[in-house]
Amino acid sequence: MKDVLELAILNVGAKKPAIVYARCASDVAVAEVPAGAELQELIDFRERIDRSIRKMEVRPSSSLLQDYGYKLFNFIIREEVERLYQSVAPDKLLRIHIFSNSPEVQAIPWEYLQDPAQGPGPSVDRLVVRIVSTIGVTEPKLREMPKNGKKKLKMLFASADPVEEDPVSWLEVKKAIEKAFATAFPADSFVSEFIDASPEELADKLQNNTYDIFHFCGHGDVDAETQEGRIILLNRKTNERSPLRASVLKNLLKKRGVQLAVLSACNTATVKSSDKFATTAQALVCAGIPAVIANQLPVPDESVATFVEQMYKTLIATGDIDLAVCEGRVRLETALSLPAQQATLEWGIPVLYRHIAAAHILEMPKD
């Protein structure tokens, strides 16, 4: 595809340089990428963003975040790869596919990448997408969007609000989703089921029904001992938290017809392990879900509905999940009110992981 720049960042280590392999249409390029201090600087700034989101330190300035974006760009777009990148017309939409066999590289927030020739903030024509390596996973099929009530688009919306956790504005998110779909489809063409999710109820719904979209709104974390991602469900008897491991969630969602999973929860795209099945979002793509939207850092509750509504609106209009996530980021950047000079960090928190052939997951109905 002429609008895809594939970047594979391989064999990164603490002391040895890595290799970046790039391909765009029939053009290919290879460059050597330094490791050591330059890589560590990128990792360290990610930790600073994390602490800022958690309000453990002052947010970096807008200029510092922009500078970080330039460093991300220059770290991988260099030498022959830079010449290949510059050969793409500046006004052409470019999907930058990033994949790597290194957990250190995967953990870096590439979503903040900034082309020095463009303005700061999320780009609407340079889309950063994370591709999950899959073997034996069936190529995704486009789901035709409903028309005249003949075909229904089904969503399972699950939320959980355990007593030990901060409250989640799940009702705002649910309303934002319904608003996005109500403007596009007849009322009988979109069906959403809501559950206040315990592990038992979620299993019952997923094992006895099929859905096109699975949306979870709540909390997520990474198990400190196993380094495996989890979503936090509800223990019905105590109203306390009941973690559900990524490996269990992927088995529940596998072969249920789900085209898109949206995890509106903290740390559901956080990489802590070299095992790709340990990261919640990656595990779901490996299980055959074409596209997964998750969060690589703690996500401020007030930003979730803003991102979700615009993301779904764009997805419905285009069927293009890459563009949908990008437009959601743009809306986040413009919607949040912050003191002058402080960086808007929220737009870089949502992450899109997907199958290499899943840029489009929905298509307009045929006449």
Side-chain angles (χ1 to χ4, degrees):
M1 294 176 65
K2 293 182 178 180
D3 66 343
V4 172
L5 176 64
E6 296 177 357
L7 291 171
I9 308 164
L10 305 173
N11 299 325
V12 168
K15 297 181 180 179
K16 61 181 180 180
I19 297 297
V20 173
Y21 166 81
R23 182 169 74 96
C24 187
S26 61
D27 295 329
V28 297
V30 175
E32 189 175 275
V33 175
E38 191 167 341
L39 174 63
Q40 190 60 48
E41 184 180 5
L42 300 181
I43 295 171
D44 290 345
F45 199 86
R46 179 210 180 277
E47 298 308 312
R48 180 174 179 181
I49 294 173
D50 190 348
R51 293 192 299 271
S52 299
I53 292 292
R54 296 177 190 273
K55 299 180 180 180
M56 297 171 63
E57 68 173 78
V58 176
R59 285 178 179 239
S61 66
S62 298
S63 60
L64 271 179
L65 183 64
Q66 184 176 342
D67 183 62
Y68 181 62
Y70 294 160
K71 289 177 180 177
L72 291 172
F73 181 92
N74 292 324
F75 185 75
I76 53 175
I77 309 297
R78 58 175 66 221
E79 300 172 2
E80 284 190 358
V81 174
E82 182 179 10
R83 290 196 289 275
L84 175 56
Y85 179 89
Q86 296 299 344
S87 72
V88 180
D91 60 344
K92 185 174 179 61
L93 185 146
L94 186 64
R95 304 169 197 265
I96 302 175
H97 287 183
I98 293 180
F99 30 162
S100 176
N101 63 343
S102 162
E104 291 87 358
V105 170
Q106 292 175 18
I108 291 171
W110 296 102
E111 288 65 28
Y112 293 108
L113 184 148
Q114 299 278 286
D115 183 339
Q118 299 189 345
S123 172
V124 294
D125 53 16
R126 294 293 184 268
L127 314 180
V128 178
V129 180
R130 303 200 182 213
I131 302 299
V132 179
S133 60
T134 55
I135 298 174
V137 175
T138 304
E139 183 172 336
K141 295 181 180 179
L142 290 174
R143 170 65 163 90
E144 188 174 311
M145 287 192 276
K147 182 181 180 182
N148 300 327
K150 293 181 180 180
K151 293 185 178 181
K152 300 181 186 297
L153 197 67
K154 293 182 66 178
M155 172 186 287
L156 177 63
F157 182 93
S159 71
D161 221 349
V163 293
E164 315 99 307
E165 305 286 352
D166 292 335
V168 174
S169 300
W170 60 264
L171 187 57
E172 286 184 29
V173 177
K174 182 173 180 287
K175 287 179 178 178
I177 294 171
E178 291 172 342
K179 180 180 177 183
F181 281 90
T183 59
F185 300 133
D188 60 350
S189 293
F190 175 64
V191 178
S192 60
E193 293 184 42
F194 167 76
I195 58 171
D196 195 7
S198 64
E200 297 79 11
E201 187 172 5
L202 182 62
D204 181 67
K205 284 291 184 182
L206 292 173
Q207 290 180 306
N208 294 289
N209 301 276
T210 59
Y211 299 94
D212 300 295
I213 301 171
F214 169 68
H215 194 124
F216 173 72
C217 186
H219 297 277
D221 67 10
V222 178
D223 185 280
E225 183 175 346
T226 67
Q227 302 298 297
E228 184 177 7
R230 310 181 296 188
I231 60 171
I232 309 302
L233 302 183
L234 187 68
N235 183 317
R236 285 287 186 192
K237 294 180 180 179
T238 64
N239 285 330
E240 295 175 341
R241 49 186 278 141
S242 181
L244 188 75
R245 303 192 314 273
S247 55
V248 177
L249 180 62
K250 78 174 179 62
N251 289 334
L252 286 175
L253 288 169
K254 190 173 184 178
K255 295 186 177 180
R256 309 294 180 192
V258 175
Q259 292 290 99
L260 171 65
V262 182
L263 306 177
S264 296
C266 299
N267 299 315
T268 42
T270 301
V271 179
K272 293 286 188 179
S273 168
S274 58
D275 180 0
K276 63 185 178 183
F277 291 99
T279 302
T280 307
Q282 290 191 66
L284 298 189
V285 177
C286 290
I289 297 176
V292 180
I293 301 171
N295 294 300
Q296 61 186 318
L297 293 161
V299 55
D301 184 56
E302 64 272 15
S303 71
V304 175
T306 301
F307 170 80
V308 162
E309 182 177 349
Q310 185 59 50
M311 183 276 293
Y312 278 122
K313 282 182 177 179
T314 305
L315 178 62
I316 293 165
T318 66
D320 189 323
I321 190 61
D322 298 359
L323 285 173
V325 172
C326 179
E327 291 293 353
R329 290 181 183 136
V330 171
R331 181 58 60 90
L332 261 183
E333 186 196 30
T334 58
L336 299 179
S337 177
L338 292 170
Q341 304 304 315
Q342 285 193 4
T344 303
L345 301 169
E346 286 75 8
W347 65 264
I349 295 176
V351 175
L352 172 62
Y353 281 95
R354 65 167 172 82
H355 187 282
I356 196 167
H360 290 79
I361 59 174
L362 299 175
E363 69 174 347
M364 297 302 295
K366 299 178 179 63
D367 294 327

